[in-house]
């Protein structure tokens, strides 16, 4: 109503600036307001909105949202010491944290979108055998550089070697001295250059389980969204769509309105200004392991004990009926036990005195156990895993890439740099799109504690106090959006070039 009133009374269109998930909500509104089953007002956006300004918006979600719903653990927990972690578990167990996080619908709306097309197909990655570690285990030195998204880590790592203190984009060499100054002061570890080819299996880590194989995003999402016995998973997953294919108009539902890859923009004159930060270590993928007995809550342990006792009882009943074997199942683990006689006399009657020795069976390849164990939060981030390769680094079980500290670069920039290319299938009417990136340049101040990380911060939250960005927003609101020039200094152009959307 306020937007329409502004246009009707003053003859001026509105400028909508939306930060973080607010941008996802506004994208949903853009679909709703003109759709026959929603606001049913075709052309409303072009009539009433001058510009849409997404600020650090995770259009394609975040892998960190998925790991929260799988484990109940956030990255900060992995950096806590043993004592503090123990105190935290005493206050709220991992199981309780998991159930709490699954009750928050906002986390489901931030699950990764685009599947393998965006997040990669090959995720089988283990700690390299040649890492340098004082313990000789998989943990390696914590020094080294972090690189950007798996699809283009080769290019980024290559430039780290040649220019470890610089960060530039080969497509933007002609942008002038302003960019050169920014590149010279950019964040260490996100440089550019020429590197040997990176094995795709190492390049696209999303989830590596300590007791099995690596899992790609499609399978992991399929397993998680299949936990329909969890009421929250069942309810929230039905309200979202996570694919990468453009959905024909006749088949679109309200769930598709949440996915920028599956429904196109309907605007022609509305301008889009994508403003976001980069140059901070941001979560991209994880190593998981089973929670130890000490980490499990009393309820969880009691539940498993009851299941084990029930399984033993079934085996005992089977033995009483004279069967030779039984399957003892509890949780998602099944063990095959040969029924034993209740007395040595019965054993002598039922078994030959000299039974042939069975041939040993080959050890099967370990398979990741998901299902009910995922539902119950048996897995947690394996914070003992810290290693580096020539291509990326993992610390405390978390792999980092470029971003604003919360949202990976690919999630903020893919739609702006490629998905909404004017005239493309997701922007068919040609709304103009401008992208401007802000390098994270924090400063400490003791005189003003409310300044947080300073006026040059590009942190996901603190960017709201970034002086340059605030000036750009004011220019757009004043009708001088033409003065906000496009600026690309990260590797987003190379990243999106390898993604087919």
């Amino acid at each position: 109503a306020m937007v329409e009133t502004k246009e009707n009374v003053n003859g001026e269109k509105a400028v909508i600036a939306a930060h973080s998930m607010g941008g996802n909500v506004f994208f949903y509104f853009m679909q709703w307001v003109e759709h026959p089953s929603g606001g049913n007002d075709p052309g409303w956006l072009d009539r009433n909105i001058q510009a849409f300004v997404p600020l650090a918006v995770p259009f394609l979600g975040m892998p960190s949202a998925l790991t929260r719903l799988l484990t109940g653990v956030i990255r900060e927990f992995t950096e806590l010491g043993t004592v503090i972690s123990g105190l935290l578990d005493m206050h709220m167990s991992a199981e309780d944290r998991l159930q709490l996080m699954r009750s928050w619908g906002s986390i489901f709306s931030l699950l990764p979108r685009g599947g393998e097309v965006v997040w990669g197909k090959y995720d089988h990655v283990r700690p390299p055998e040649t890492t340098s570690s004082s313990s000789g285990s998989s943990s390696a030195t914590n020094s080294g550089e972090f690189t950007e998204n798996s699809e283009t880590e080769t290019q980024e790592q290559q430039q780290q070697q040649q220019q470890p203190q610089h960060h530039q984009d080969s497509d933007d060499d002609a942008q002038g001295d302003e960019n050169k100054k920014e590149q010279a002061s950019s964040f260490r570890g996100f440089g550019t250059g020429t590197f040997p080819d990176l094995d795709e299996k190492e390049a696209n880590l999303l989830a590596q389980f300590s007791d099995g194989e690596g899992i790609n995003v499609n399978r992991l999402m399929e397993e998680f969204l299949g936990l329909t016995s969890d009421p929250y998973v069942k309810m929230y997953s039905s309200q979202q769509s996570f694919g990468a294919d453009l959905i024909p108009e006749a088949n679109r539902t309200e769930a598709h309105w949440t996915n920028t890859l599956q429904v196109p923009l309907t605007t022609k004159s509305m301008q889009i200004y994508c403003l976001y930060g980069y140059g901070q270590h941001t979560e991209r993928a994880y190593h998981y392991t089973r929670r130890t007995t000490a980490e499990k809550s009393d309820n969880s342990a009691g539940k498993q004990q009851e299941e084990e006792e029930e399984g033993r009882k079934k085996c005992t009943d089977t033995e009483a009926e004279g069967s030779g074997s039984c399957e003892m199942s509890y949780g998602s683990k099944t063990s095959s036990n040969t029924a034993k006689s209740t007395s040595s006399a019965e054993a002598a009657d039922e078994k030959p005195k000299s039974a042939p020795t069975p041939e040993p069976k080959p050890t099967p390849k370990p398979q990741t156990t998901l299902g009910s164990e995922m539902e119950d939060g048996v897995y947690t981030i394996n914070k003992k895993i810290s290693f580096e390769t020539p291509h990326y680094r993992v610390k405390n079980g978390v792999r980092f890439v470029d971003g604003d500290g919360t949202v990976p670069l690919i999630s903020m920039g893919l739609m702006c740099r490629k998905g909404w290319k004017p005239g493309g299938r997701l922007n068919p009417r040609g709304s103009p799109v401008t992208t401007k990136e802000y390098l994270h340049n924090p400063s400490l101040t003791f005189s003003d504690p409310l300044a947080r990380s300073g006026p040059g911060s590009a942190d996901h939250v603190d960017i709201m106090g970034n002086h340059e960005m605030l000036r750009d927003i004011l220019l757009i609101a004043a009708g001088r959006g033409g003065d906000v020039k496009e600026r690309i200094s990260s590797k987003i152009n190379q990243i999106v070039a390898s993604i087919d959307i």
Side-chain angles (χ1 to χ4, degrees):
M2 293 180 62
V3 170
E4 293 172 333
T5 299
K6 179 178 175 63
E7 200 279 330
N8 293 333
V9 175
N10 301 325
E12 296 179 347
K13 298 179 182 181
V15 172
I16 304 296
H19 175 251
S20 191
M21 200 176 76
N24 299 80
V25 173
F26 187 72
F27 179 81
Y28 182 95
F29 170 80
M30 289 195 296
Q31 301 299 322
W32 174 87
V33 71
E34 297 191 357
H35 197 274
S37 63
N40 194 24
D41 193 352
W44 187 94
L45 291 167
D46 279 336
R47 292 197 310 271
N48 293 278
I49 307 297
Q50 176 65 33
F52 169 40
V53 188
L55 310 172
V57 174
F59 287 115
L60 302 178
M62 306 182 299
S64 59
L66 181 54
T67 201
R68 282 158 172 74
L69 296 174
L70 289 175
T71 67
V73 177
I74 63 176
R75 175 183 59 81
E76 287 76 9
F77 290 174
T78 69
E79 299 173 354
L80 299 176
T82 304
V83 175
I84 298 179
S85 296
L87 292 174
L88 177 65
D89 288 339
M90 290 176 61
H91 177 71
M92 177 178 281
S93 69
E95 184 182 58
D96 291 337
R97 293 196 302 268
L98 177 66
Q99 295 306 314
L100 176 63
M101 291 183 183
R102 289 186 180 179
S103 70
W104 295 341
S106 57
I107 300 184
F108 284 83
S109 68
L110 294 173
L111 285 171
R113 283 167 166 74
E116 295 176 348
V117 173
V118 173
W119 301 101
K121 298 181 179 180
Y122 303 97
D123 300 296
H124 185 98
V125 178
R126 290 190 177 280
E129 297 178 357
T130 58
T131 54
S132 57
S133 173
S134 58
S135 63
S137 65
S138 60
S139 295
T141 175
N142 286 336
S143 63
E145 311 300 341
F146 295 174
T147 60
E148 184 31 67
N149 181 276
S150 58
E151 297 288 348
T152 56
E153 285 188 87
T154 299
Q155 298 169 345
E156 294 178 335
Q157 291 289 349
Q158 290 166 352
Q159 297 205 9
Q160 285 180 29
Q161 288 184 350
Q162 294 182 1
Q163 299 177 357
Q165 297 297 329
H166 295 262
H167 188 228
Q168 62 185 16
D169 191 322
S170 59
D171 290 347
D172 299 286
D173 290 339
Q175 288 193 1
D177 294 337
E178 181 181 359
N179 272 4
K180 291 181 180 178
K181 292 178 181 178
E182 182 177 16
Q183 293 158 6
S185 62
S186 70
F187 192 86
R188 190 169 73 95
F190 296 117
T192 52
T194 303
F195 264 67
D197 290 338
L198 175 62
D199 186 346
E200 282 187 300
K201 290 185 178 180
E202 291 186 7
N204 296 298
L205 166 68
L206 185 77
Q208 173 66 58
F209 292 82
S210 60
D211 59 349
E213 77 278 15
I215 300 298
N216 62 38
V217 63
N218 280 13
R219 180 183 167 192
L220 196 59
M221 285 289 290
E222 181 181 351
E223 292 277 0
F224 175 71
L225 297 176
L227 302 179
T228 54
S229 59
D230 186 306
Y232 293 115
V233 174
K234 182 177 181 179
M235 176 176 64
Y236 289 128
S237 62
S238 65
Q239 301 170 2
Q240 308 285 329
S241 181
F242 305 100
D245 296 328
L246 179 64
I247 303 300
E249 185 173 1
N251 299 334
R252 292 173 198 160
T253 66
E254 293 184 11
H256 295 124
W257 298 350
T258 66
N259 191 336
T260 56
L261 295 169
Q262 296 191 310
V263 290
L265 298 173
T266 61
T267 56
K268 181 178 181 180
S269 62
M270 185 189 77
Q271 298 172 305
I272 300 175
Y273 295 88
C274 296
L275 311 181
Y276 59 83
Y278 73 98
Q280 285 211 86
H281 300 164
T282 305
E283 297 170 66
R284 166 64 168 82
Y286 305 87
H287 285 252
Y288 295 108
T289 188
R290 292 177 181 273
R291 283 193 285 127
T292 63
T293 303
E295 292 175 312
K296 296 178 182 178
S297 67
D298 293 338
N299 292 339
S300 178
K303 178 181 177 181
Q304 180 172 337
Q305 185 176 2
E306 291 177 2
E307 291 174 343
E308 292 178 4
E309 290 297 333
E310 182 180 354
R312 293 192 185 95
K313 184 176 183 299
K314 290 180 180 178
C315 283
T316 302
D317 294 342
T318 303
E319 293 167 6
E321 296 173 0
S323 175
S325 64
C326 70
E327 295 290 327
M328 186 170 68
S329 302
Y330 42 90
S332 62
K333 293 177 284 188
T334 303
S335 60
S336 178
N337 296 330
T338 301
K340 297 182 180 179
S341 303
T342 56
S343 67
S344 57
E346 292 175 344
D349 292 337
E350 295 178 5
K351 296 182 180 181
K353 294 182 178 181
S354 57
T357 304
E359 296 182 1
K361 296 181 179 180
T363 303
K365 179 182 178 180
Q367 297 293 320
T368 301
T369 306
L370 299 175
S372 62
E373 298 197 348
M374 181 187 292
E375 181 174 2
D376 295 336
V378 170
Y379 288 107
T380 187
I381 296 175
N382 189 353
K383 61 183 180 180
K384 295 181 180 180
I385 301 294
S386 294
F387 67 90
E388 61 179 285
T389 77
H391 312 291
Y392 63 88
R393 178 184 172 194
V394 173
K395 182 179 179 182
N396 297 331
V398 181
R399 176 184 167 196
F400 296 93
V401 295
D402 197 1
D404 67 1
T406 300
V407 185
L409 183 62
I410 188 175
S411 185
M412 297 182 290
L414 178 61
M415 298 308 301
C416 305
R417 298 305 297 162
K418 187 172 185 178
W420 288 332
K421 182 178 180 180
R425 63 175 187 161
L426 293 174
N427 187 4
R429 301 186 66 198
S431 273
V433 180
T434 300
T435 304
K436 186 171 182 178
E437 298 181 329
Y438 303 84
L439 175 69
H440 183 55
N441 184 24
S443 60
L444 298 177
T445 173
F446 298 100
S447 59
D448 184 6
L450 296 180
R452 295 170 69 98
S453 52
S457 174
D459 173 82
H460 183 69
V461 174
D462 292 353
I463 198 172
M464 298 300 291
N466 184 292
H467 286 189
E468 183 184 6
M469 190 192 75
L470 291 174
R471 178 180 179 274
D472 290 336
I473 294 174
L474 291 175
L475 286 172
I476 296 169
R480 295 177 54 190
D483 292 340
V484 179
K485 303 301 182 182
E486 187 162 276
R487 184 175 68 198
I488 306 297
S489 301
S490 73
K491 294 300 298 177
I492 189 62
N493 283 345
Q494 283 84 341
I495 292 170
V496 303
S498 64
I499 299 175
D500 184 17
I501 60 172

